[in-house]
Amino acid sequence: MHRRITILVLIGVILIAGLVFTRGLPSRAQDDPEFTYAGEVSAPEFPEDTEWINVSAPLTMAELEGKIVLLDFWTYGCINCIHVIPDLHRLEEEYGDQLVVIGVHSAKFENEGDTENIRNIVQRYQVTHPVVNDADFAIWQTYGVRAWPTIVLIDPLGRVVGGNAGEGVYEVFKPVLEVMVEEYGAAGLLDDTPLAKLEPELANRAPTPLKYPGKVQADPANDRIVIADTSHHRLIVSSLDGGEDFTVIGQGERGFVDGGFDEATFDSPQGMAIDGDLIYLADTGNHAIRVINLADETVTTLVGTGEQASTYPPESGTAPDVALSSPWDVTLHEGVLYIAMAGPHQLWRIDLETGLTEAHAGSGRENIIDGPLADAQLAQPSGIDTDGELLYFADAEVSAIRTASVSQDGSVATIVGTGLFDFGDVDGVGDEVLLQHALGVTVTPDGLLYIADTYNNKIKVIDPASRESTTFAGTGEPGLLDGPLGEAQFWEPGGIDYAEGKLYIADTNNHAIRIIDLETETVSTLPISQATALIPAADPSLAGDGDVTTVPLGDNLVEYELQTVAPGEGEIVFNISMPEGYKLNSQAPFTVVSQSDDIVSVPEESQNFRELVPELPVRLAVTFEEGSSTYTADLTIYWCEAVKEELCFIERVSVVAPVSVEPGAGANQVQLAYELVPPEIPSDFE
């Protein structure tokens, strides 16, 4: 997973089913010599009984005829694979329906082979193209792939052109695609109709107050907790008990903008270090270190350009103009900020007085090799903490917990972990211990380490002196369950921090912050996860068809007059009036969450109605029993401009409708009318 993996040059060879084919022009291409890039071997069919994501049914090669296809072989814990996602998204935007990207997920770790876990990562990184779970490596072996990430190119006639391993996908494939679109388009061989089976998972995700929080930092001196609300691209500050007062830092949209809390933007923020009113943040997607001033309510950039470093490893320099690569976590000690820099497999340091920004440990080669700081080899460090003498870091791709000296003339040592492909869930001592892609570590005053053993869905405790590791909390099964340590459940926890006898855990796939009380040995959930006020008015992952400007609307309470209906089978009818020139958003579900009682009985399967673009009016079948009641429901309506599709809106409506059920009444429907009105959008140019 090193970015310097050998490139399979497009004029080279490809491997299919163990055979070597020299790429040349097929007979059809020989008749049309303008095809600069054409394959000779037909792309093999996808295996049957393979699970797919983002499509309504499995794809076939026949359905892809007329499309340029890129197969992205990836595994979701690989930082190089994560770096490729923005490049692929950029190509998808530029070439539209002439290009189809298919993610072939060939899992390195056992946990990564689970389709539900892949589904979460697809939503976390807002991947909308088809993804196939190649859990048994059948597709990988067919194409002779040797490394993550690898991209394979297929021409519109369904033939394999060649492949490229490593990062820098946009720069490699952009000029190739330009030529192919021109030549195959001129020949009438390109099909630019939308892929019929495309059905992005993002449309099925209900908004939540937190969205895949990656890290958490406690600040007991000021009774506050800071949460990296990673996939909402913002920070949340709350009291340690998750009270009702919250501070939101950032617009909640991906970007790289300094300024006040309500105008600043981040991109997939992760780890933090707190120093009084200052928060040092690893702004991972922006490849930058940001500084949040809680007193002034401002965000500034300490180091980073907003772009991934073009050199490998990145070059040292003086802040702020130093290019970084996926900083994942930070810790602070005596005026030096230490960074777990996942991208180049290194630890870095920033002298906050001089601004000097440089590598602290790791040669940049990916492996688990101890020794002097500059010579040691690390593998995607993703969590870091310090006791003042040593840096403790979670080295994710080798499933290891390691140390590095704070002193620049020190060394790197390993507490537990043995190799790039040595992982599992085994307690014990030293080299017999197995973790699985651990992302978080925190050190307590008594010298113990608590670990977010991410892919094992557990919290482990490690004694660094004896190298003994034991399961501390969690059953290992993914879930959200509070209670005694041995019964609690987590789902890919990514961050952990100790403060005053408690552990605070970013339980990533549960969209929650969990708390372990070390004295009572119980697990609870921070009440912030129930704070509906933190649900973004327009979740960017649910916005519109393509790139849109999303405009939030305020919540509404609508009370209706008493309606009288007859006993028996009936309906609740939602008469939604859509203004001319607008439509329901086809990427987000129309939802109705209904209350049910003995008078107005809503079937259980209809109490949480969710449907993409339902026929209007929306009708819910109910049963009326004699008596009086009040029907209540919460509606969420996503809608957009129908022509330009530049603006999309979200409307949340709570309805209250008194109902009297009387024998002899002439109606069997409760009519609930609601009119959608586009908001006025101010213009800077008026």
Side-chain angles (χ1 to χ4, degrees):
M1 285 165 284
H2 197 284
R3 71 179 297 164
R4 290 183 291 187
I5 291 171
T6 302
I7 291 178
L8 307 178
V9 184
L10 291 172
I11 59 172
V13 300
I14 59 172
L15 299 172
I16 295 183
L19 301 177
V20 179
F21 297 88
T22 302
R23 190 182 66 78
L25 296 176
S27 58
R28 184 165 184 176
Q30 291 168 350
D31 296 334
D32 296 292
E34 71 273 15
F35 291 154
T36 305
Y37 299 100
E40 183 177 83
V41 180
S42 294
E45 191 55 79
F46 297 107
E48 296 182 1
D49 301 324
T50 305
E51 294 182 310
W52 288 75
I53 298 170
N54 284 341
V55 289
S56 58
L59 297 178
T60 64
M61 292 307 304
E63 293 170 318
L64 297 171
E65 186 174 346
K67 307 287 190 186
I68 300 171
V69 178
L70 291 178
L71 301 181
D72 170 30
F73 288 86
W74 66 303
T75 184
Y76 72 73
C78 156
I79 191 64
N80 309 92
C81 301
I82 294 171
H83 288 162
V84 163
I85 292 174
D87 278 7
L88 293 173
H89 181 65
R90 187 176 174 187
L91 292 172
E92 289 174 295
E93 286 187 327
E94 292 183 8
Y95 293 100
D97 293 312
Q98 296 173 326
L99 171 69
V100 174
V101 175
I102 297 177
V104 183
H105 191 275
S106 307
K108 170 185 174 180
F109 292 94
E110 180 181 352
N111 183 76
E112 292 175 344
D114 182 89
T115 300
E116 287 306 305
N117 291 336
I118 302 171
R119 196 182 312 279
N120 270 287
I121 212 73
V122 161
Q123 294 185 7
R124 191 186 312 181
Y125 288 104
Q126 298 182 18
V127 173
T128 57
H129 56 245
V131 175
V132 58
N133 184 1
D134 185 31
D136 59 1
F137 280 67
I139 307 174
W140 171 287
Q141 292 172 353
T142 297
Y143 282 88
V145 176
R146 295 293 181 266
W148 299 281
T150 291
I151 310 294
V152 172
L153 174 66
I154 299 172
D155 70 23
L157 299 177
R159 305 164 305 193
V160 182
V161 178
N164 173 68
E167 296 184 30
V169 167
Y170 182 85
E171 290 77 10
V172 171
F173 284 96
K174 169 67 174 178
V176 176
L177 294 179
E178 281 186 344
V179 173
M180 292 183 74
V181 166
E182 180 180 351
E183 295 179 353
Y184 285 92
L189 296 174
L190 271 183
D191 177 9
D192 60 2
T193 59
L195 195 62
K197 291 180 179 178
L198 189 63
E199 192 174 278
E201 287 284 333
L202 288 176
N204 299 320
R205 184 191 170 275
T208 50
L210 302 178
K211 185 177 179 185
Y212 299 107
K215 299 290 185 183
V216 61
Q217 194 76 13
D219 181 15
N222 294 290
D223 185 31
R224 60 192 174 200
I225 185 172
V226 186
I227 302 164
D229 193 6
T230 305
S231 291
H232 277 146
H233 311 293
R234 64 184 185 178
L235 301 186
I236 303 294
V237 182
S238 165
S239 62
L240 288 172
D241 61 1
E244 296 181 359
D245 294 329
F246 311 112
T247 299
V248 178
I249 305 173
Q251 291 186 31
E253 297 181 0
R254 180 183 280 117
F256 187 49
V257 177
D258 288 342
F261 283 3
D262 58 350
E263 60 186 355
T265 55
F266 307 97
D267 186 349
S268 305
Q270 289 282 349
M272 298 154 287
I274 300 175
D275 182 17
D277 283 330
L278 299 182
I279 302 172
Y280 295 92
L281 170 70
D283 192 6
T284 306
N286 280 323
H287 311 285
I289 303 299
R290 315 288 291 280
V291 182
I292 293 93
N293 189 316
L294 295 173
D296 296 343
E297 296 191 350
T298 58
V299 177
T300 57
T301 298
L302 176 63
V303 175
T305 64
E307 300 290 336
Q308 184 184 358
S310 59
T311 60
Y312 187 91
E315 297 177 354
S316 61
T318 303
D321 299 321
V322 180
L324 307 180
S325 181
S326 291
W328 210 273
D329 199 6
V330 292
T331 192
L332 183 65
H333 177 63
E334 293 186 347
V336 177
L337 189 72
Y338 296 91
I339 309 169
M341 192 91 79
H345 313 294
Q346 293 177 309
L347 303 183
W348 275 56
R349 54 184 284 139
I350 304 173
D351 187 312
L352 297 179
E353 181 177 352
T354 66
L356 178 62
T357 304
E358 59 185 342
H360 179 74
S363 66
R365 296 182 62 85
E366 183 184 22
N367 211 325
I368 182 168
I369 295 179
D370 295 339
L373 291 176
D375 299 332
Q377 295 181 21
L378 319 182
Q380 203 171 311
S382 302
I384 190 169
D385 199 4
T386 184
D387 61 3
E389 296 183 3
L390 291 175
L391 300 170
Y392 298 93
F393 62 99
D395 218 12
E397 280 297 288
V398 284
S399 300
I401 303 300
R402 307 176 71 185
T403 66
S405 304
V406 169
S407 170
Q408 290 181 275
D409 59 359
S411 60
V412 170
T414 298
I415 300 173
V416 298
T418 55
L420 278 164
F421 290 88
D422 298 334
F423 56 85
D425 186 7
V426 177
D427 292 342
V429 177
D431 290 351
E432 67 188 21
V433 173
L434 292 178
L435 307 175
Q436 189 177 187
H437 204 269
L439 291 176
V441 57
T442 187
V443 58
T444 61
D446 59 4
L448 294 178
L449 305 178
Y450 288 88
I451 311 302
D453 192 3
T454 308
Y455 285 0
N456 283 325
N457 306 306
K458 287 182 175 181
I459 305 301
K460 302 284 181 70
V461 59
I462 296 176
D463 182 340
S466 66
R467 301 177 65 204
E468 182 179 11
S469 173
T470 57
T471 296
F472 185 72
T475 65
E477 292 297 319
L480 176 59
L481 184 64
D482 291 337
L485 298 178
E487 300 176 9
Q489 291 182 328
F490 305 88
W491 195 358
E492 290 199 4
I496 187 168
D497 189 41
Y498 169 85
E500 296 188 337
K502 293 182 179 179
L503 298 173
Y504 295 85
I505 299 155
D507 198 5
T508 304
N509 281 2
N510 279 322
H511 314 290
I513 302 301
R514 315 291 292 283
I515 303 173
I516 297 179
D517 189 312
L518 298 182
E519 181 178 353
T520 63
E521 297 189 337
T522 56
V523 179
S524 61
T525 299
L526 191 72
I528 197 171
S529 62
Q530 305 300 319
T532 56
L534 288 175
I535 296 178
D539 188 329
S541 70
L542 300 177
D545 303 329
D547 288 336
V548 297
T549 300
T550 305
V551 180
L553 298 181
D555 293 352
N556 298 313
L557 173 64
V558 181
E559 299 181 79
Y560 295 86
E561 295 183 354
L562 175 69
Q563 300 184 51
T564 302
V565 295
E569 301 302 315
E571 292 180 323
I572 305 291
V573 181
F574 298 92
N575 288 304
I576 309 297
S577 298
M578 185 77 64
E580 185 176 355
Y582 292 83
K583 65 176 183 177
L584 290 176
N585 187 336
S586 62
Q587 299 298 310
F590 181 105
T591 66
V592 181
V593 180
S594 298
Q595 299 298 314
S596 179
D597 59 25
D598 294 338
I599 307 301
V600 182
S601 178
V602 183
E604 184 175 352
E605 63 272 15
S606 299
Q607 291 175 15
N608 192 351
F609 174 88
R610 293 168 56 85
E611 187 172 322
L612 288 172
V613 196
E615 182 179 352
L616 298 179
V618 173
R619 303 173 183 271
L620 292 185
V622 299
T623 302
F624 297 120
E625 297 289 344
E626 188 173 349
S628 296
S629 181
T630 300
Y631 171 77
T632 62
D634 294 320
L635 281 69
T636 302
I637 309 166
Y638 299 90
W639 52 299
C640 303
E641 289 183 332
V643 181
K644 294 183 179 180
E645 296 186 348
E646 292 178 352
L647 294 175
C648 282
F649 317 108
I650 178 174
E651 192 117 351
R652 292 194 177 89
V653 185
S654 295
V655 300
V656 178
V659 179
S660 178
V661 183
E662 302 175 7
N668 68 345
Q669 295 178 336
V670 171
Q671 297 280 344
L672 304 178
Y674 188 77
E675 181 180 3
L676 294 170
V677 179
E680 293 185 8
I681 310 301
S683 172
D684 293 333
F685 303 100
E686 293 179 351

